[in-house]
Amino acid sequence: MRSRIIYLALVLALLGLLPARAQSDARLFPATGWRVAGRLLAFWERNGGLPIIGLPLGPQASLATPEGRFSAQWFERNRLELHPENPAPYDVLLGRLGAELLQHQGRDWRREAVGEPLPGPCRFMAATERSVCGPFLAYWQAHGVELGDPGVSERESLALFGYPLTAPRYETNSSGDRVLTQWFERARFEWHPANPPAYQVLLGRLGVELIGEPAPLPTLTVQLDPTAVLQGRSVVIGVALPEAQALRGTLGAAPLAFFREADGQWRALGGVPVLTPPGSLSLRIEADLPDGRVVAHTTHLRVLDARYPTENINLPPAVQDRLNRNREAIARENALVNSIWPQVTPERLWSGPFRMPAEGRISSAFGTRRSYNGGPVNSFHEGLDIANAVGTPVVAPARGRVVLAERNLVVRGGAVILDHGRGVHTGFWHMAEVLVQPGQLVEPGQLIGRIGAEGMVTGPHLHWDVRIGSVNVDPLEWVARAWP
Ligand SMILES: [Zn+2]
C-alpha cells in the first residue's frame, strides 16, 4: 500500500471556515422586483402582508405626500411611511390613500348621498358620520395594525383602515367588476358575495390606482455549459439580460462571480463540490436593473455521480501526534490559505487550456473520498498529486499573479497560490523550492518552484489544487479544455 499519508494535506483544509453570509433584513419580492427592508418590512410582515398591503411597487424613497415628505414606499394597496420621530410601532404609518384617491377623482365624499344597505349589524362612526355594516363591519373589526392590544381593538382597525368616508354603493372597480364598494381613509372595501367566505371582502389596489401598474420585469435566460455536471467539475453559467447592471448568484452554497462579456452576455464559472449528492444543485441569480429593480431567477443544475472511489486512511499515531501538536499553526495556515480562495480579481489572466504544472506520475487522483481511522466519509482529495523526484520543475499552468509564496507551511510545505482572475486560483503544495514572490505576474510554463516532500507528506510530490471560489474542481478538466 503506497504511502497513504501523502494525501494528508487533504483533510486539513476542511478545518478552514467559509466566510459567514451577511444577514440582511431586506426581502426581495420577485413578482415586482423590489425589496422591502428594515422597519417597513417588519410592519409589512406583522400587519397582513400580501392580502392587506400587497406587493411593493417601488423602492423606499423620499416621497411627497399630502402630509409632507417622508421616507416611504408604495405597495399595491397602500403606502408605508416611515416616521422615525415616533416610537415603535407608531414609526410606520399608512398613507390615507382612500382619501387621496377620492380627491384625485374630484369626489367630495361629504356631499355624497346615502348608499345601498348591507345586511347585518351596523356601527355608526361619528367622526365621518358614516356607518359600517354587515360583512364590511366584520372585516373592519377583524383586521388592524398590531399595536399590542388584546385581539383587534378599534384603534388598531382605525390605524389600518381609518374611518369610513362613503356609504356603500355599486361602483365599477379596476378589474371592470361592478361591486358594492365602500371607501375608507386608507382602504376601499369591495363585496364579492359569490367568492368563498375568506374572499368575500377584498381590498382595492389603491396604490396601483394612484401610481399605475408596475412595468413587467424582463425575463432572464440561463445557459449552462455543460447542462449536466459531474461532481467536482466546472460549469459555465451564461445569462442573457443585456440591460442588467450587475449580477449576483449562488450555485448551491457557493457565491458566483458574474462578468459581462464582449458579446453583452453575463458569464460566471461555477464548481460543483465533490461531496454534492447526485441530483440537482440550486442555482440562484439576481440581476440589478438600472431602475433599481431586481430580477430573481432560480433554477437547478443537474449533478451526475462521478463515482469517485472511497478510501479509508489510518493515521499512524505519530502523524496524529504531529497534527495535535501543531493545531494552532495548522489553523493559522488554513485561515491564511482559505482567505485567498474567495477573492475575485475581475481581469481574466488565463486563456486556453491549462498546462500540467509538472511531469511525473499521477499518484493520487482528484476527488477520492476519504474517511479517517474508519470515521465518516466527509472529506476528499482536493487536488491532483504528481509524484516525481525532489527538484523536478514546477511551472505555472496558466498566466496568473502570485498571491501566496510561503516556504515553510506546516501542512503544505513550500506553497504557491496563483490568482488567474475571475475567482479562479491554483495552488501548489509541498515544494522544496519556491521561486516566485507575491505580486509577481507569471506566464504559462514559467518556473515557479521545485517538487519536494515538504509539509505533511511521506514522499516527494506536487499537490495541485484548482479552485473556483472556494470550490475545488478537477485540475485535469482545466487541462483538457479551455474554460472561458
Ligand atoms: Zn494531494
Side-chain angles (χ1 to χ4, degrees):
M1 184 164 306
R2 128 187 129 226
S3 48
R4 280 265 158 112
I5 340 170
I6 277 193
Y7 320 130
L8 235 199
L10 36 103
V11 209
L12 306 152
L14 289 174
L15 300 173
L17 296 168
L18 288 171
R21 288 188 61 185
Q23 287 293 311
S24 166
D25 70 343
R27 175 166 162 192
L28 174 67
F29 291 78
T32 57
W34 294 108
R35 291 182 194 283
V36 184
R39 285 293 300 145
L40 297 191
L41 178 61
F43 183 95
W44 189 94
E45 288 180 337
R46 198 174 159 89
N47 293 297
L50 219 48
I52 303 290
I53 301 168
L55 294 167
L57 301 180
Q60 184 176 338
S62 175
L63 297 179
T65 80
E67 284 82 35
R69 192 165 260 286
F70 305 104
S71 178
Q73 191 165 14
W74 284 99
F75 291 81
E76 283 178 288
R77 294 178 171 73
N78 216 302
R79 184 181 60 225
L80 298 189
E81 301 168 0
L82 198 59
H83 294 255
E85 68 280 7
N86 296 347
Y90 306 99
D91 57 339
V92 179
L93 300 177
L94 289 156
R96 292 178 74 246
L97 263 54
E100 286 177 32
L101 201 54
L102 286 177
Q103 200 177 359
H104 269 249
Q105 296 172 358
R107 277 173 66 173
D108 182 355
W109 57 269
R110 288 172 193 83
R111 290 165 185 271
E112 288 193 3
V114 178
E116 308 282 336
L118 264 169
C122 289
R123 262 212 55 197
F124 178 74
M125 306 214 182
T128 53
E129 299 184 329
R130 297 287 186 201
S131 291
V132 186
C133 299
F136 284 172
L137 180 61
Y139 193 90
W140 192 89
Q141 288 174 330
H143 297 85
V145 169
E146 184 53 74
L147 299 175
D149 298 342
V152 182
S153 69
E154 182 168 311
R155 67 175 187 136
E156 289 177 333
S157 297
L158 277 173
L160 183 59
F161 300 129
Y163 289 108
L165 300 180
T166 66
R169 68 173 207 191
Y170 282 95
E171 295 186 25
T172 304
N173 67 13
S174 49
S175 316
D177 300 323
R178 198 152 172 80
V179 288
L180 207 51
T181 302
Q182 185 168 20
W183 291 76
F184 293 76
E185 288 176 277
R186 305 178 204 287
R188 186 180 64 224
F189 288 14
E190 297 177 2
W191 196 35
H192 298 257
N195 285 358
Y199 304 99
Q200 285 176 342
V201 176
L202 297 179
L203 297 175
R205 296 169 78 223
L206 304 187
V208 169
E209 289 169 31
L210 271 162
I211 68 164
E213 286 284 352
L217 280 169
T219 35
L220 176 161
T221 54
V222 178
Q223 265 193 327
L224 300 171
D225 169 27
T227 52
V229 184
L230 287 163
Q231 296 160 316
R233 297 291 180 91
S234 309
V235 59
V236 183
I237 300 156
V239 175
L241 191 66
E243 58 267 61
Q245 288 189 318
L247 255 73
R248 294 171 297 281
T250 50
L251 178 60
L256 296 170
F258 278 96
F259 296 93
R260 197 201 291 273
E261 302 293 345
D263 61 4
Q265 275 240 338
W266 291 84
R267 210 161 286 147
L269 282 164
V272 174
V274 165
L275 298 178
T276 307
S280 69
L281 192 58
S282 75
L283 170 60
R284 295 173 203 279
I285 298 168
E286 285 186 7
D288 293 336
L289 298 181
D291 62 8
R293 289 182 301 164
V294 175
V295 181
H297 185 85
T298 300
T299 182
H300 288 89
L301 174 67
R302 201 149 68 85
V303 177
L304 306 175
D305 192 341
R307 303 187 187 285
Y308 293 116
T310 299
E311 61 186 1
N312 177 58
I313 294 173
N314 288 309
L315 298 178
V319 173
Q320 200 101 60
D321 204 47
R322 201 171 152 204
L323 282 173
N324 289 338
R325 275 186 287 112
N326 288 288
R327 258 179 203 291
E328 277 183 31
I330 292 169
R332 274 199 305 277
E333 176 181 329
N334 287 331
L336 171 69
V337 168
N338 289 333
S339 71
I340 292 173
W341 310 126
Q343 293 173 19
V344 178
T345 309
E347 191 191 355
R348 182 177 60 220
L349 296 176
W350 84 90
S351 64
F354 282 17
R355 342 178 149 198
M356 290 295 284
E359 290 180 4
R361 174 177 60 88
I362 291 177
S363 55
S364 177
F366 170 82
T368 307
R369 294 151 184 273
R370 284 167 174 176
S371 84
Y372 288 89
N373 298 343
V377 181
N378 56 9
S379 64
F380 61 94
H381 187 219
E382 296 183 346
L384 183 72
D385 287 354
I386 303 168
N388 209 335
V390 171
T392 303
V394 176
V395 302
R399 193 160 198 249
R401 194 170 295 282
V402 179
V403 287
L404 178 132
E406 293 280 338
R407 277 151 185 90
N408 281 306
L409 294 180
V410 176
V411 176
R412 296 172 181 83
V416 167
I417 296 178
L418 300 180
D419 178 356
H420 301 283
R422 300 204 165 179
V424 177
H425 290 89
T426 52
F428 309 86
W429 317 146
H430 311 308
M431 292 187 289
E433 288 178 63
V434 169
L435 302 171
V436 287
Q437 299 298 325
Q440 193 180 336
L441 192 65
V442 294
E443 298 299 330
Q446 184 175 336
L447 188 67
I448 60 171
R450 293 189 185 278
I451 284 184
E454 307 299 315
M456 291 201 179
V457 297
T458 57
H461 77 284
L462 174 72
H463 170 103
W464 179 28
D465 241 47
V466 176
R467 300 242 187 175
I468 300 171
S470 293
V471 179
N472 287 96
V473 291
D474 187 347
L476 287 181
E477 73 168 343
W478 281 72
V479 173
R481 66 163 271 195
W483 292 87

